[in-house]
Amino acid sequence: MEKMMKRCIKCGLPETHETISFDAEGICNICRQHEFKQQKIDWAANKRALDILITEHRDKYDYDCIVPFSGGKDSTWALYYLVKEYGIKPLVVRFDHGFLRPNLEENVKRVTRKLGVDILTFTPNWKVVQKLMLQSYIEKGDFCWHCHSGIFSYPMRIAIEKKVPLIFWGEPSAEYTSYYSYDQPEEVDEKRFNRYINLGISAQDMYVRLEGAVDERELKPYSYPPLKELRALNYRSVCLGSFIPWDVKTQSEIIERELGWQGDVVENVPPQYRYEKIECYMQGVRDYIKFIKRGYSRPSHLIALDVRNNRMSKEEGQYLITEYEGKRPPSLDLFLSFTGLSEEEFLEIAMSHKVSPYEHDPSKTQPGTTTPDFDCWSRDAPMQREDATVQITRWRNRNGARTEARNA
């Protein structure tokens, strides 16, 4: 029998959500953070602080700032706002994680041309990416280590290389979790990177865990640059959402209207959220893994945001959650090919990272539907089974050793 999970009485997020806690009234800490955001922050003062920050860095370097950029709704809004509001000259830095969708690429071209900005894209070694995906999935139940580590470390290396000290990210993490709250200053720095971006695994850790299967130099794009070099640059790495109130639905409407930015269908995401996570064709797999581990996925998160912003009742959102969450995404077949896993191994690994009290029942899983661009997604260069076997066997041996030590 499925165990009942405790949920926030306001937004509905379950107790398996990362960093969540509940107060005596049964309301979660993320909802309380949003109340603080809506009621207690002097946004006019924060905007004045942003004005000063821009003025301090304008026209002093080859670029006024760096904007790390995926082409999704948040980074597009950040770029749009900074260019339109301040007329600054940014360097747009992209980290290609290997799964960029066709519509996303068209959006990037359209947006950067309309805004008139320089753009720098880095694409890492695919063979290394595959090993990193498999290793982080095995160890943490999250295959996106290479993406998140690269996205947050590579632009910082470019800041040093180009001598541009100001870096603007998008929304603060307090929108979604409680690693930081809205009443805390949130610098996008090494502390934040190690706190939750890299899953507690540094690039050096990954090199050790792969036992020399990759050249150590290949991991440099995933490692945070030395703090002494950043301090010598006198860097500031900040979230734009710390200075202006963040509202993804309104912002998405503006970039659609002003820039021609277009949303997309995403596996197992309701169609009214076409602006959400359109940049990666492995997003459906990531959400499916989250459901296996935690018993909820992206629809719950999106509906919780709408509930906090008084756009939907929790009861209205429950239909969408039931309709869309937990289905097997067609992209899983591609993921299995890219990582050399069987579906049985995939489930075994995911379920080994379950978050109590949720208990996943694979027999209840229904198939999801393909997106219109599914046939356009690259299937090139799957991982050889023998390569995957090396990493899987190492994991099994380590788990066996840990089990024996506990039982000794």
Side-chain angles (χ1 to χ4, degrees):
M1 180 181 292
E2 181 180 347
K3 296 180 181 178
M4 293 295 292
M5 292 194 292
K6 183 177 181 180
R7 293 179 179 270
C8 175
I9 64 169
K10 181 175 181 180
C11 74
L13 281 180
E15 61 185 301
T16 53
H17 181 69
E18 57 183 330
T19 73
I20 201 168
S21 63
F22 305 94
D23 63 18
E25 296 178 44
I27 296 175
C28 75
N29 48 345
I30 295 104
C31 281
R32 293 304 191 196
Q33 287 173 185
H34 277 253
E35 292 174 2
F36 186 92
K37 168 190 173 182
Q38 293 159 354
Q39 301 169 11
K40 297 185 179 180
I41 294 178
D42 185 345
W43 288 109
N46 287 9
K47 176 61 165 60
R48 290 192 294 273
L50 178 60
D51 295 342
I52 293 170
L53 186 63
I54 295 288
T55 299
E56 288 174 344
H57 291 83
R58 187 191 296 276
D59 298 330
K60 295 181 180 178
Y61 316 94
D62 287 344
Y63 296 94
D64 297 325
C65 67
I66 284 175
V67 178
F69 189 76
S70 69
K73 65 186 187 310
D74 297 306
S75 59
T76 299
W77 168 258
L79 181 63
Y80 167 79
Y81 183 86
L82 291 168
V83 171
K84 288 297 184 180
E85 178 74 8
Y86 292 101
I88 62 172
K89 177 179 173 59
L91 175 61
V92 177
V93 178
R94 298 180 74 207
F95 184 91
D96 180 351
H97 47 63
F99 306 107
L100 300 175
R101 297 177 64 183
N103 174 60
L104 185 281
E105 294 286 56
E106 288 299 315
N107 275 339
V108 170
K109 183 181 292 184
R110 189 180 303 116
V111 166
T112 54
R113 285 185 173 185
K114 286 192 174 184
L115 292 176
V117 294
D118 293 352
I119 182 167
L120 176 65
T121 300
F122 174 74
T123 304
N125 183 325
W126 170 245
K127 295 297 185 183
V128 173
V129 164
Q130 288 175 288
K131 289 182 172 64
L132 297 175
M133 286 173 58
L134 179 55
Q135 193 66 30
S136 64
Y137 181 56
I138 285 171
E139 298 207 25
K140 295 293 184 177
D142 186 344
F143 63 89
C144 299
W145 183 91
H146 81 283
C147 175
H148 294 157
S149 294
I151 284 172
F152 282 92
S153 62
Y154 183 73
M156 304 305 292
R157 291 188 170 276
I158 295 300
I160 293 170
E161 179 184 317
K162 302 292 185 182
K163 296 181 174 58
V164 180
L166 180 59
I167 304 96
F168 273 112
W169 306 84
E171 77 282 15
S173 65
E175 279 288 290
Y176 309 118
T177 63
S178 284
Y179 287 105
Y180 293 86
S181 60
Y182 265 108
D183 60 349
Q184 296 175 299
E186 184 176 350
E187 295 280 329
V188 186
D189 55 13
E190 187 174 21
K191 178 181 177 182
R192 184 182 188 267
F193 182 79
N194 291 328
R195 192 169 186 175
Y196 75 98
I197 293 298
N198 70 359
L199 306 176
I201 303 175
S202 69
Q204 182 61 36
D205 292 335
M206 190 62 78
Y207 176 72
V208 171
R209 294 178 192 206
L210 287 171
E211 297 186 356
V214 300
D215 188 320
E216 190 170 9
R217 293 172 297 177
E218 298 281 9
L219 296 176
K220 191 171 182 179
Y222 311 100
S223 61
Y224 214 77
L227 184 58
K228 64 179 181 180
E229 295 183 25
L230 288 169
R231 285 175 173 166
L233 186 65
N234 197 26
Y235 81 112
R236 288 293 308 279
S237 177
V238 298
C239 297
L240 181 60
S242 296
F243 299 93
I244 61 172
W246 210 255
D247 182 351
V248 294
K249 189 157 286 189
T250 299
Q251 292 165 187
S252 298
E253 291 170 355
I254 293 172
I255 59 176
E256 286 173 3
R257 182 176 66 249
E258 299 295 323
L259 300 176
W261 186 90
Q262 295 179 7
D264 213 338
V265 178
V266 177
E267 289 175 322
N268 297 341
V269 172
Q272 54 264 59
Y273 298 108
R274 286 178 58 89
Y275 52 79
E276 178 73 15
K277 289 297 178 184
I278 68 167
E279 51 270 54
C280 177
Y281 65 79
M282 286 291 110
Q283 185 60 47
V285 178
R286 180 172 171 79
D287 288 340
Y288 182 48
I289 293 169
K290 186 171 189 175
F291 187 86
I292 293 170
K293 291 162 49 180
R294 298 177 180 270
Y296 81 104
S297 62
R298 192 154 301 275
S300 289
H301 149 78
L302 295 170
I303 287 157
L305 278 175
D306 274 349
V307 169
R308 294 183 195 117
N309 287 298
N310 300 313
R311 292 178 173 137
M312 182 184 295
S313 71
K314 186 175 67 171
E315 291 70 28
E316 289 171 332
Q318 188 56 50
Y319 168 77
L320 295 175
I321 291 171
T322 303
E323 184 70 16
Y324 286 92
E325 282 194 345
K327 295 184 177 180
R328 182 194 187 278
S331 59
L332 180 59
D333 293 326
L334 279 67
F335 177 80
L336 297 177
S337 173
F338 290 144
T339 56
L341 291 170
S342 69
E343 190 156 355
E344 291 73 21
E345 290 167 333
F346 166 83
L347 281 169
E348 177 191 3
I349 293 167
M351 293 174 71
S352 75
H353 294 283
K354 68 179 181 179
V355 178
S356 182
Y358 180 67
E359 296 285 346
H360 184 67
D361 183 354
S363 68
K364 295 181 179 180
T365 302
Q366 300 295 315
T369 57
T370 58
T371 62
D373 63 341
F374 180 74
D375 291 337
C376 299
W377 298 351
S378 173
R379 275 84 170 158
D380 294 334
M383 177 176 269
Q384 297 300 309
R385 175 60 190 179
E386 53 267 31
D387 293 334
T389 299
V390 171
Q391 292 180 241
I392 296 167
T393 301
R394 186 187 302 129
W395 170 64
R396 292 194 191 284
N397 290 340
R398 287 175 179 169
N399 273 2
R402 281 194 290 264
T403 301
E404 289 179 9
R406 285 196 299 268
N407 295 335

